[in-house]
Amino acid sequence: QVQFTESGGRSVQSGGSLRLSCSASENIYARKLWCVGWFRQAPGKGREGVATIDSDQDTYYSDSVKGRFTISRDTADNTVYLQMNGLKSEDSGVYTCAVERRGDYCYSYSLDKMDRWANFGQGTQVTVVS
């Protein structure tokens, strides 16, 4: 099973930027169909979908990050990135990535279907301070 390792999280000032990395243990991007997503979880709250990207390079974002975050992939090093700009305190949390378990494309509703995601990584902590 593919395993993900997230990195790049740290403490940053409100309005600042970070780029998170999600490295896969195997080349899932060689598959015909794949969908990878970024998620986050704040203390005391449930896991929230943030952004997805698939083998067609279609991307979807939650309303809370649309226009500020950008998800991208680098198939050469099996990594998906999350560029986060204009960070707000409510963006704080542990960010993890996962693969859509059915080997399908991403859809606009994929972020809301938590049972469709598997192989979550350990996560990387993002703290936005005012």
Side-chain angles (χ1 to χ4, degrees), residues 40-47 90:
R40 67 187 181 188
Q41 188 165 16
K45 294 188 177 181
R47 181 177 283 149
E90 53 262 43

Side-chain angles (χ1 to χ4, degrees), residues 7-125:
S7 61
R10 61 177 176 86
S11 181
V12 63
Q13 290 282 339
S14 179
S17 298
L18 281 177
R19 189 177 80 154
L20 305 184
S21 300
C22 170
S23 177
S25 62
E26 62 182 66
N27 188 13
I28 66 169
Y29 308 113
R31 301 175 186 176
K32 183 179 179 181
L33 299 177
W34 55 264
C35 168
V36 169
W38 275 100
F39 300 81
R40 67 187 181 188
Q41 188 165 16
K45 294 188 177 181
R47 181 177 283 149
E48 173 192 14
V50 174
T52 62
I53 187 168
D54 66 18
S55 46
D56 274 2
Q57 296 207 61
D58 289 329
T59 58
Y60 294 100
Y61 299 90
S62 66
D63 289 341
S64 61
V65 307
K66 200 172 295 181
R68 300 187 296 124
F69 290 12
T70 303
I71 189 170
S72 63
R73 66 172 188 178
D74 184 340
T75 55
D77 63 2
N78 299 338
T79 301
V80 167
Y81 298 98
L82 185 68
Q83 177 67 42
M84 307 187 294
N85 299 326
L87 284 163
K88 307 174 182 179
S89 58
E90 53 262 43
D91 293 320
S92 296
V94 177
Y95 283 70
T96 58
C97 52
V99 65
E100 201 278 351
R101 65 172 72 243
R102 301 171 305 161
D104 199 355
Y105 292 112
C106 300
Y107 299 95
S108 59
Y109 52 79
S110 296
L111 286 171
D112 300 326
K113 305 290 186 183
M114 286 300 161
D115 60 341
R116 293 190 178 182
W117 297 94
N119 302 29
F120 286 91
Q122 291 298 309
T124 186
Q125 176 71 48

